[in-house]
Amino acid sequence: MRLRTSEYPNQPWSDGISPGMKVISIALFGKPASVVLHTLKLYETDFFARDADTPSLVNVAAKIYRRVALYQPGEYTATLTYNNGQKTSASWLVRDLATARKTKNIILFIGHSIDSFITDSANSATALYTGHKSTVNALGVYRDSSPSPFDDPKFETIAEIFYRLTRGGVGIVSTAFIADATPAALTAHTADRGQYPHVVDTFLNGITNYTWTNWTGPDVLFGGGSEQFVPGRTSYRGQDYYKLFQDKGYNVVLNNTALSTTSNNAKTVGIFSRSNMPVWLDRNVYKQNLLGRKNSPDGSGGNATDLPGLKEMTLKAIDILTARHNKEGFFLMSEAASIDKQMHTLDYDRALADLLELDATVKASIAKLTQLGNLKETLVLVTADHGHGFDVAGSVDTEYLNAQKTDREKRDAIGTYAEAGLSQYVMPGSPNDTSNPQDGAFPANWDPRYTLFSAVGANPDHRENYQVHKSGPRLPAVNTSVEEDNYIVNYKDAVTGFLLNGSLPVSNAQGVHSLQDVPVFAQGPCQEMFGADGCKWLNTTIHQASTLHSPDDLEILKQSKKCSKLAEGLISELNKLRLDDRGLFQAAIRSVRTMRRKNSLEEKRDLLEKCQSVLDTRILMRLDARSLKQTHDIYELDRRVQDLVSAVEQGSNTFAELMTRESQGIKAHFDKKFDSHVQSTEERLARDQLCESFFFPEIMSRQEEVPEAFKGTCHWIFDTSADQRSRSRPWSNFRNWLENDEGVYWISGKPGSGKSTLMKYIVDADLTPQLLSNWKKDTDLLVVSFFFWEAGTAQQKSCTGLLRSLLFRIATHWPELVDLMGAQHGNRKGGVEAWKNLLPAWTDERLLFILTKFLDQKPTSVSLCAFVDGLDEFVGEEEVLLNVIRLFINTPQCKMCVSSRPEQAFRHEFKSCPQLRVQDLNHEDIERTVAGKLFPSLTKYTRIDSRELDDLNNTLIWKAQGVFLWLDLMIRDLITGARNRDTATMLWSRLERAPETINGMYTHILSSLDPLYEKESFKYFSVLLAAEEFNLRSNFLRLVCAEDEPWEHVVNFDLDYFGTAKFDSACRDFETRLIACCGSLIDIQDHLSDEGAEKKSNVKRHHRNVNFVHKTALEYVREKYKENLLDPHSHVEANTHLARGGIGLLVMSPLTSFIDNSDKWPDRNFRDGIRNTMSMISVTGSHYSTADVDKSSVVVQLDLTNRAFDSLQNLYTFVYHLEQDWYSDSRFLRRLVYLGNADDKSWLPFNDHLSGAAFFGCNHYIQSQLSSHSLAENQAENLLQSALAGIEYFLIDPMRVTSHCALAKLLTVQIVVQHKLNVEKLYFATPRGYMKIEHSTFWGAFFILLMLYSHFYSESASEPVEEALKSCITELVETFLSLGANPNSRIVYSGVIFGGTNDYQFILAESPIAVIGPSIQGLGQLGSQLKARLLSAGAIVTQIYQSD
């Protein structure tokens, strides 16, 4: 309950609820009423204010009562007093339930407000189901002024009441999508009917935090609307609701055949189309209209053709409800929704057909109930929830109308009065019937010469020919504006008709509801309630007893009535004996009467006490047992009962009034723990969702992969007696910083000196949190960590990864973070609903803003310490990283320990901070490492005496110079010599010729490899570097699958091979070969580290990573082979190897955890795999050199593209057991390219191999396929659409697109535009593209994408690629202009600018020269050249238009 006023109160409020009638009984459950303030900007109905954009500022205050229960019938008024006596009030009329049940079953057929006298389907359904008036769009709530659609005061629906009182069955049937307003209003409680995913969840789970919603779901749920059931962006939280319903015991059916055969004994969900169900006319007469809709309820993109109608669904619902609840009874709502939907679009024939279907359904239902023997105990109601102002005024001669030339002449085809005659909708069985017999309710001829002259009173501009629309549902008006709704006549609709000017605003696309009355038809028990007698009966029930829930309640009512009658009789007797001012004589007379009546009064008092004792017992039995556990509570209750009796003796008006006063206190006891439980559950769910959004798979992987400190090393970091060490090598006491200091502690060191190992030791040490607890005693401490890694994924080397990692740990530890979400959006409410819309992609700006808000508002009881390793491995602007560190350490009770190389930026930033240099302090660690790793091998494999061994060890330690990486490589070399039985002299020789620097050591390692392996070594190094360029981890299986023998089995889709010993042997042989060719420069993850590894399958056992041993090794190899890597041959070969391996990983995916079930495949891992693999394939065609390379790359790309598509086909068949082409399955295709379960308006990216190759940027494949023939214009346009959409698709993750990839995609566009096409044709934007491109032509879309490409990739491109990009861009612009591109064509796209506390939505709408000019300066002179070319083509220089 919410009481609301239009001004903020300047004084404390007072409020109360008082009876307008005789008796009241109220219980307020939960927290005391609270005041909520909102400021609204309203135009109300002042259109002058709307046009001038001058809304009224309205301050709204509301006082909220949650879960108000009114237990007795009567009229209630709640009054709020504010602002020195001003008042506002709300009134309720509470009716009683009958003492005896009059009907067992109810079937409500529906044929198609407070703030408006014209209702929509939401608040009309609310009124029908609850008896409460609400506002437009509201379902089961009193809409308030808050922005949240879910916090409005709620009230019970008839379905919820029926289930609560009887535990009977509930059925919901509709021809609309099942989350539409009329079916939704039975269980949903929201101010916004458009919360469709939430509605479907309430069908299954009800709503929380309300004691009257012990809901187990309807027994029957039939209709359309699979969009909210199949998992994806249109279902609640992306969940699979088919599965969730099945998990709760429901049968799920998706077509009429399954519906007719499913069991009547189980709850059943039937969803038969993607959205609204096709109407009767298309299902039964114009069946061709069922094709091409792509509305299959399984989400596959197929056509729904096996469809039930309203009659089939309703009769099946009756069967199920009767079988499950024949004793308890049932409530069934059956809606012929398309009557209303077709009237909106002025499609009167389809509306008529569905109206007649409703009539047939009612007849069939009555026959079914008669057959079941339930008709006499079933109330059948038929009504509508609103009208459309429809009427018929004559007839139309359609042949005559079609033959006329002008609109005025066509109007003469209308006949009125005597000229109207009769229509020719011939009924079956009549002499004129030439069609096959149908249901007697329907016409046999839907396209007669003489039709009805019909119309609605409110409509948009449209043409009308009064004939059936055979090609499908009607669309009378179309929009012509980008910025706002501006509807005009649809020139494709009713083309033979004449123009009818609309009566609605031009922003309306269709007809609207009207104020006309609707009839109510009733048959069965209580039918008299729906006429004049029913109104009279309702009025007489207002003063009856309170609402009852069970037989126990009926007994309490009976006893309370008896007590009340006795009490009133006793009070009446006492009143007769009351003294007044009539004098002493009268007093004497009354004294005599009192003595005479003493016995009578005592008898009545005894009877009242006995009756009240029985009532007390009944009431106590109904109380929650938990409230009676304590003796004190029982004593208090007994005392209150005694007070009641005493009060009766003293003359209280009625016993019932006293019971009402006491019930409020008793009822308030029950909800405290329930409130706490609901609140904690909601907070937990919010925290889980937020944590999931911050999490990424590699969040801890680098930290876990850093080698553990060797036994006995790194202990010195916590040493308290560091004075001796510090005299020779000054350093800041780390233990003291942990226990006392703030700010930053900087751990620096040479490359390979063991910084990451030391940081890992600190983070994992039990002593760290113990010492930190001394820093901030009596606070809640959280220790977080993040390890940068340049060779890892984009998240592992970016600021995004650092921020997500920090926020993930904070959100996991402190749920208060959730409340800060959404604050960046002005006054909008925070919490889960606010930040949920920011997902799925976090940006640095938003993440930093959220961290800032949390740190600003962090409670003083919270302390944070962060450990961030590898600052030098961060990829990006160093200042951005340093700003995050500054933000963190400048927050009270927050500090950070960082590690890095001593690079200039960090030396300057941390020069005054506590710090140490690892190489100065790890001498003892190096000694222990040598003693522990090298000494055992030398003593085992050689006969070196102890003195010489000591000398060797000491020399090794001295040469290490504190660099663990150098030491580790040297130890490996010496152990190899020892195993080869080298003499002491040979071991000394190994040590003496070893270089003293890391790079020198790398050179030494490479020179030690067999020269025969040099070419093979470069191949593997180039593959690893190419993977790093794509920000991919080098998977061991990827490398293996590219080798000849495994590749052959990949191509043949031989899954059995990968489980054989032969494949295992191939993996082990390749590992040996890889080490032989690359030496110690690479590190292969050891599969034996997992105790159960040998028991795993071959695929899982060898699913390991291959990395460079250190960042410095990657840098060394990249520099050493710089010239070789620029060779086009090596470029093609490396990417070919990666692409083959990627195809192999895709083929093996059924043998890994990637595919759990077909409903969730392809999943994220597979989608990433296909995206990366196709990128590598496309890169094989980004040539920029000799013709022989071009020729070889063509052959390679053709083969790889075919192999990839063949593998997709094999996997599709393997998983789904379907023989159709993989690209013809729209649901699979959407999942494959990240489009989710987009609706029909969200186009599919391609429809065959050729357009698929264009989408993925396989330019050589396209070139070879088009070399032998030219394309028709529409084919070329389709290919260009796919090629441009592919660019958008790949920009979803720009970190994975290289300059070579950018070039390959532009080359694809270049090939396509060599064919004749219309470049000014409208481009359909990718639903999940990087930028939202709206209403732009191919030419405009090309320029937007070109701008993005130049921004992301031109600066990082190598010189040959940069020149190729420039050349390609120049040629493309020239080609587009030659094809008729308008240099002043408007380009429209939108995006977001992140601005601190506010995000600004912007829309750009300009010519190419204005949009692209400033964005391609990174390409040198190209910007000026393109600008000059556009100007010469007639471009006009204008300013970019931007709006908030």
Side-chain angles (χ1 to χ4, degrees), residues 921-971:
L921 303 165
N922 63 2
H923 183 78
E924 293 178 6
D925 291 346
I926 289 178
E927 289 180 347
R928 289 192 178 94
T929 301
V930 171
K933 289 186 175 181
L934 180 62
F935 187 85
S937 295
L938 293 182
T939 55
K940 178 178 181 180
Y941 298 116
T942 68
R943 298 180 180 179
I944 301 177
D945 60 57
S946 59
R947 181 175 178 180
E948 192 166 25
L949 186 58
D950 288 341
D951 290 342
L952 186 67
N953 289 347
N954 291 334
T955 303
L956 178 62
I957 293 168
W958 175 80
K959 293 192 71 171
Q961 295 293 306
V963 180
F964 265 100
L965 180 59
W966 184 96
L967 178 70
D968 187 63
L969 294 172
M970 196 65 242
I971 288 175

Side-chain angles (χ1 to χ4, degrees), residues 138-155:
L139 296 170
V141 299
Y142 289 125
R143 187 171 185 176
D144 59 26
S145 306
S146 69
S148 171
F150 301 116
D151 68 350
D152 307 81
K154 303 170 177 61
F155 39 79

Side-chain angles (χ1 to χ4, degrees), residues 627-808:
S627 67
L628 301 177
K629 288 183 178 179
Q630 298 184 8
T631 305
H632 176 74
D633 292 340
I634 299 174
Y635 171 78
E636 282 295 310
L637 188 60
D638 182 62
R639 182 186 62 77
R640 291 182 179 183
V641 172
Q642 294 178 21
D643 290 344
L644 288 175
V645 178
S646 176
V648 170
E649 290 180 335
Q650 295 172 15
S652 294
N653 293 331
T654 65
F655 181 71
E657 181 181 308
L658 295 171
M659 289 302 299
T660 297
R661 197 158 58 230
E662 285 298 315
S663 67
Q664 296 182 18
I666 295 172
K667 298 295 184 183
H669 176 74
F670 295 143
D671 71 319
K672 293 180 181 178
K673 289 186 178 180
F674 180 76
D675 270 349
S676 176
H677 171 73
V678 169
Q679 183 177 355
S680 63
T681 301
E682 291 176 345
E683 290 176 352
R684 177 178 56 80
L685 291 174
R687 183 169 64 253
D688 291 347
Q689 292 177 33
L690 183 60
C691 290
E692 183 179 350
S693 73
F694 289 138
F695 181 80
F696 55 95
E698 307 87 6
I699 198 166
M700 290 294 292
S701 59
R702 175 55 179 165
Q703 181 175 332
E704 293 169 352
E705 290 172 359
V706 170
E708 298 279 354
F710 190 73
K711 185 178 180 180
T713 62
C714 296
H715 292 177
W716 54 268
I717 191 68
F718 297 119
D719 192 1
T720 56
S721 57
D723 293 340
Q724 183 176 358
R725 189 192 308 268
S726 63
R727 278 196 294 271
S728 59
R729 303 287 188 181
W731 67 295
S732 305
N733 190 297
F734 183 72
R735 180 172 185 143
N736 183 65
W737 179 83
L738 287 176
E739 291 186 298
N740 301 294
D741 292 350
E742 305 279 348
V744 169
Y745 193 104
W746 181 33
I747 295 176
S748 68
K750 297 178 182 178
S753 58
K755 301 182 295 296
S756 295
T757 298
L758 177 61
M759 286 288 281
K760 180 175 182 176
Y761 174 80
I762 294 170
V763 172
D764 292 343
D766 294 336
L767 192 56
T768 299
Q770 295 177 22
L771 297 175
L772 285 170
S773 64
N774 296 327
W775 164 52
K776 292 297 179 183
K777 295 181 179 179
D778 302 323
T779 64
D780 189 4
L781 172 68
L782 176 63
V783 178
V784 298
S785 60
F786 183 75
F787 283 50
F788 281 109
W789 191 27
E790 185 178 3
T793 65
Q795 298 289 344
Q796 290 179 292
K797 56 187 174 185
S798 65
C799 196
T800 305
L802 171 63
L803 291 169
R804 287 178 65 174
S805 178
L806 292 176
L807 289 169
F808 172 72

